Amino acid sequence: MAEVTLVEAGRLAVLQEMRRDPTVWVLGEDVGRGGLWGQYRGLIDEFGPERIVSTPISESTIMGAGLGAALVGTRPIIEMRIFDFVMCAMDELVNQIAKVRYMFGGQAKPAVVVRTPHGMWRNSAAQHSQMLEAWFAHLPGVVVVAPSNAEDEAGLLVSAIRSDDPVLFFDPKDHWLVPGKIADGEIAAIPFGKARHARQGDALTIVTWSAIVPNVLAAADQLASEGIKVDVLDLRTIWPWDQDAVAASLSRTKRLLVVHEAVEVGGFGAEVIATMIDRLGPSGLKVAKRLGAPRIPVPFAPPLENEVRISPARIVAAAKAAMA
Amino acid sequence: MATAGGTPAAAGDNLKRLTDLYRMMVRIRTFEETALEAYKAGEIPGPLHVSFGQEAIPAGVCASLRHDDRLTSNHRGHGHALAKGADAATMYLELYGREGGYCRGKGGSMHIADFSVGMLGANGVVGGGLPIAVGAAQGLKLLKSAAIAVCMFGDGATNRGPFLEALNWAAIYTLPVLFVCEDNGVAAHTETRTVTAGEGPAARANAIGVPAVTIDGNDALVVEETVARLVADIRAGRGPRMMHAKTYRWTGHTATDAAAWRDPKEVEAAKQRCPIARLKAVLIERGLAPSALDEISAAARTEMQSGRTAAHTAPWPGIPSAFEDVQDVGAVHG
Ligand SMILES: Cc1ncc(C[n+]2csc(CCOP(=O)(O)OP(=O)(O)O)c2C)c(N)n1
Ligand SMILES: [Mg+2]
């Protein structure tokens, strides 16, 4: 096992796939200088400016050109810098990338990865902190990936690059520098739709994903120290998502808590709960709760921002409430 | 056609070539006349945008294209598809939403695509094809293909941001793209000049760094000649070019729009500049027998009528197909 940061794990995955497949390339702002966080550091030296393409600040065309290049048989990694700027390319993502295969009766293969760092990061305020992954789970035609650690970042990015489906890949930008471990040698692809069973227990099932996972694990460890063992499932991908793993856990615990950094109202937690109620029936669940951010934009000042942040203490409290 | 040196041959040299150009224009006109009839008879659902009066542009553009060149289109794209080589009968099946249509009944008139001839799709979003076209060109360049990309769009699209982005993009990466602005003077129900600052599409393109020319888009010979020259430049690696083709759309925005706000005299005057009639006069002057011209019209009518009839009686797509071609991983089933 090699010890690497999450950002380096992602870089190594891109490097491996670009060496394997000459049709893989990257386009986005500043990628020739390594990308905003060094996700592409040094790649231009090996692959040149034709495959590591620094672009103008033209989000619509970064997204749309990625699609056009996929339609002629290449596999672009569309780097969107910070998720909030995907908003400037919603037509290209929602009306074009997500639609072409279906709308053209199967003729198009939009094999793109839209890579987009999301979530809170160093008090970046309302336009640089959003988590809107639920919007895209709602969007037919795309796969939605949201890893929480270095190993998953690498393995899921390999899958995303090899996928013929368009993949929205949400990097947890607050954890770029968190160290993790990846296997030596070839990075193995991690299949979409398989949760990581991050903690084992029978008292409660906590379902979570992306940047909030470390806080959930801290909460689970605290609960364990108090003698309460909870099951933690890191979904890793929210479309498709591992309904079987969640249902299997709930068959033991009967209690569900979904935790996400995104706004609670209309979040993907609601989908998890509704699906499990449908699947397990009214008697299959004793409790189903969700914990997410209040429905306010992410504020700037640290004490205000903390109102939005789901701390381990809040998760512990929510878990205890769910077991009361 | 371009000669080896990149100079277009004189447009009148080849009677067969002009006859082919004429035939394509007649097929486009007849395709849409037939489609409009079928629409008015209630046979075709959804929106239908026809392009009477604009036929010289797609016909003249595609005359210089290779089979593997790619083309992106807009909402008014029947002519673009036919000229790029799509099959009329398969297009009718799609207009009718039937099994066997280009998109298996999932697209309709506004989303015709035929990837087998490089037609990468009509688009329901104004300006939607611009970023896709430059990306196709970039992909082709990366793959070391000799093919180019062509992007068809209306005057209305020049007021959308992707127009600026895509032209700039094509210029900075020296991409093999031909931008074609079909300027019929209107965007839906608004005269474009009343909502557009500056000197117009060609001035905008030139300012961005994409060399552009403005031409009479109702003169098929001029269109063909211009495109041959621009495509020769593009194939020679000189980067993107734009052709701004001025034309006039005889009908309203959609099949249900009478465009009653327009001065009938203006429409009548435009019909006097009919691109098909103009090329017909040239062909007669150059000695083509009138019977040959009649045969072209008759053949187009037969082709389109049989396409219409076959589509009208074709089966609907099977219901399970509604769940197909969404995505491989994470697909849902009915
Ligand atoms: C982004 C977007 N805005 C508005 C519309 C509605 N709409 C469809 S066609 C059209 C006019 C387009 O004008 P132009 O590009 O000149 O093409 P034309 O219809 O004249 O061929 C409009 C406003 C749309 N489809 N997409
Ligand atoms: Mg127009």
Side-chain angles (χ1 to χ4, degrees):
Chain A
M1 295 293 258
E3 177 121 343
V4 293
T5 56
L6 190 148
V7 68
E8 179 64 2
R11 195 189 74 87
L12 291 172
V14 174
L15 176 65
Q16 169 182 305
E17 293 307 294
M18 287 188 73
R19 282 182 178 160
R20 185 186 58 78
D21 181 350
T23 70
V24 176
W25 61 294
V26 180
L27 70 163
E29 295 158 18
D30 294 326
V31 296
R33 294 258 149 76
L36 206 50
W37 286 280
Q39 314 95 299
Y40 307 101
R41 188 173 36 81
L43 298 187
I44 196 165
D45 299 332
E46 180 164 343
F47 302 109
E50 285 78 32
R51 290 180 68 197
I52 300 291
V53 179
S54 280
T55 69
I57 306 162
S58 298
E59 280 73 16
S60 297
T61 299
I62 296 170
M63 191 75 84
L67 171 60
L71 296 185
V72 301
T74 71
R75 290 185 172 274
I77 299 171
I78 302 169
E79 170 58 50
M80 291 307 292
R81 191 179 193 107
I82 292 180
F83 165 71
D84 309 69
F85 311 145
V86 168
M87 302 299 110
C88 304
M90 284 298 261
D91 171 53
E92 290 70 21
L93 176 57
V94 176
N95 293 328
Q96 314 291 344
I97 287 175
K99 300 296 188 290
V100 285
R101 176 172 169 190
Y102 189 80
M103 195 168 75
F104 298 150
Q107 295 181 72
K109 191 171 83 177
V112 299
V113 182
V114 179
R115 210 178 158 195
T116 177
H118 73 164
M120 283 184 278
W121 181 72
R122 294 193 191 168
N123 304 97
S124 304
Q127 296 174 333
H128 289 67
S129 303
Q130 292 175 88
M131 285 231 169
L132 297 174
E133 71 274 12
W135 287 14
F136 301 95
H138 195 66
L139 174 68
V142 298
V143 168
V144 183
V145 180
S148 67
N149 59 65
E151 186 185 350
D152 292 348
E153 172 87 9
L156 288 167
L157 196 46
V158 167
S159 287
I161 294 167
R162 295 179 187 177
S163 169
D164 285 349
D165 289 323
V167 178
L168 257 102
F169 194 97
F170 290 99
D171 299 294
K173 68 178 185 281
D174 206 28
H175 304 318
W176 278 131
L177 299 179
V178 172
K181 286 187 171 23
I182 60 170
D184 296 322
E186 163 110 6
I187 299 166
I190 295 174
F192 300 140
K194 293 279 173 250
R196 172 190 285 268
H197 203 162
R199 290 289 184 277
Q200 323 270 335
D202 290 330
L204 169 73
T205 301
I206 303 184
V207 174
T208 186
W209 58 88
S210 191
I212 204 65
V213 170
N215 284 7
V216 172
L217 296 182
D221 294 343
Q222 150 111 42
L223 288 164
S225 73
E226 298 174 25
I228 304 167
K229 295 201 133 192
V230 297
D231 236 20
V232 177
L233 290 167
D234 175 354
L235 289 183
R236 306 197 283 194
T237 69
I238 66 163
W239 196 269
W241 62 284
D242 198 342
Q243 303 183 12
D244 291 347
V246 177
S249 173
L250 287 174
S251 69
R252 288 184 286 107
T253 66
K254 310 270 188 230
R255 291 171 192 273
L256 172 60
L257 172 67
V258 188
V259 182
H260 52 64
E261 182 179 310
V263 166
E264 187 173 295
V265 175
F268 195 70
E271 176 68 21
V272 173
I273 290 172
T275 304
M276 287 301 130
I277 290 173
D278 271 354
R279 181 157 166 166
L280 304 174
S283 57
L285 272 176
K286 286 194 191 118
V287 183
K289 289 198 175 294
R290 60 195 162 138
L291 177 61
R295 193 174 179 281
I296 56 175
V298 177
F300 166 65
L304 301 186
E305 195 197 63
N306 285 341
E307 275 307 294
V308 178
R309 207 176 284 279
I310 313 294
S311 63
R314 288 178 61 193
I315 299 166
V316 167
K320 287 182 173 168
M323 286 180 293
Chain B
M1 292 294 135
T3 59
T7 335
D13 282 358
N14 185 335
L15 196 60
K16 172 172 185 309
R17 192 164 48 77
L18 295 194
T19 310
D20 287 347
L21 196 55
Y22 179 79
R23 182 180 297 106
M24 182 58 75
M25 289 164 65
V26 170
R27 286 182 65 229
I28 294 169
R29 173 75 56 87
T30 315
F31 179 92
E32 292 196 323
E33 282 171 348
T34 309
L36 194 56
E37 262 172 49
Y39 186 88
K40 288 185 173 155
E43 295 169 17
I44 291 177
L48 185 79
H49 303 86
V50 294
S51 61
F52 300 144
Q54 305 186 183
E55 296 87 350
I57 303 169
V61 166
C62 293
S64 291
L65 298 186
R66 299 176 3 174
H67 184 265
D68 62 346
D69 290 333
R70 309 304 206 276
L71 182 144
T72 66
S73 168
N74 63 357
H75 57 285
R76 203 176 299 287
H78 304 136
H80 310 156
L82 283 166
K84 191 67 184 73
D87 168 57
T90 314
M91 287 173 62
Y92 279 120
L93 284 167
E94 190 55 40
L95 262 57
Y96 278 77
R98 304 304 167 103
E99 186 60 58
Y102 270 116
C103 311
R104 305 178 68 206
K106 287 170 175 159
S109 159
M110 212 161 38
H111 302 303
I112 302 264
D114 181 358
F115 279 49
S116 73
V117 298
M119 201 303 200
L120 299 186
N123 209 306
V125 178
V126 171
L130 283 150
I132 298 172
V134 298
Q138 200 158 15
L140 290 167
K141 198 171 171 184
L142 187 65
L143 295 172
K144 307 218 180 317
S145 162
I148 70 168
V150 176
C151 179
M152 312 289 294
F153 57 96
D155 42 294
T158 63
N159 281 328
R160 287 210 60 229
F163 173 76
L164 163 71
E165 288 193 7
L167 266 68
N168 177 64
W169 189 285
I172 57 171
Y173 300 119
T174 325
L175 297 179
V177 196
L178 174 66
F179 297 101
V180 177
C181 178
E182 295 178 292
D183 183 356
N184 56 22
V186 279
H189 316 288
T190 299
E191 287 127 313
T192 305
R193 67 179 161 74
T194 64
V195 292
T196 307
E199 300 299 317
R204 285 188 183 182
N206 281 317
I208 293 168
V210 175
V213 287
T214 298
I215 60 147
D216 176 359
N218 278 26
D219 185 334
L221 299 184
V222 170
V223 175
E224 197 215 24
E225 218 172 26
T226 306
V227 173
R229 184 163 47 81
L230 298 180
V231 164
D233 281 346
I234 295 165
R235 290 203 203 283
R238 299 192 189 108
R241 295 289 186 268
M242 189 172 102
M243 180 173 76
H244 169 222
K246 298 189 80 156
T247 182
Y248 191 94
R249 193 187 69 215
W250 296 356
T251 53
H253 176 49
T254 62
T256 52
D257 170 28
W261 54 270
R262 234 159 36 176
D263 181 354
K265 289 203 203 82
E266 183 185 297
V267 181
E268 266 324 298
K271 288 184 176 172
Q272 298 309 308
R273 300 191 304 274
C274 172
I276 295 179
R278 282 166 74 175
L279 186 56
K280 186 176 187 173
V282 173
L283 284 167
I284 289 172
E285 191 192 298
R286 303 229 175 137
L288 195 75
S291 62
L293 293 166
D294 292 344
E295 271 167 39
I296 288 173
S297 299
R301 267 197 305 276
T302 307
E303 179 190 9
M304 303 313 164
Q305 284 304 338
S306 77
R308 175 184 176 183
T309 309
H312 193 35
T313 53
W316 295 107
I319 299 301
S321 75
F323 294 87
E324 290 167 15
D325 285 321
V326 178
Q327 55 194 107
D328 292 333
V329 180
V332 301
H333 301 284

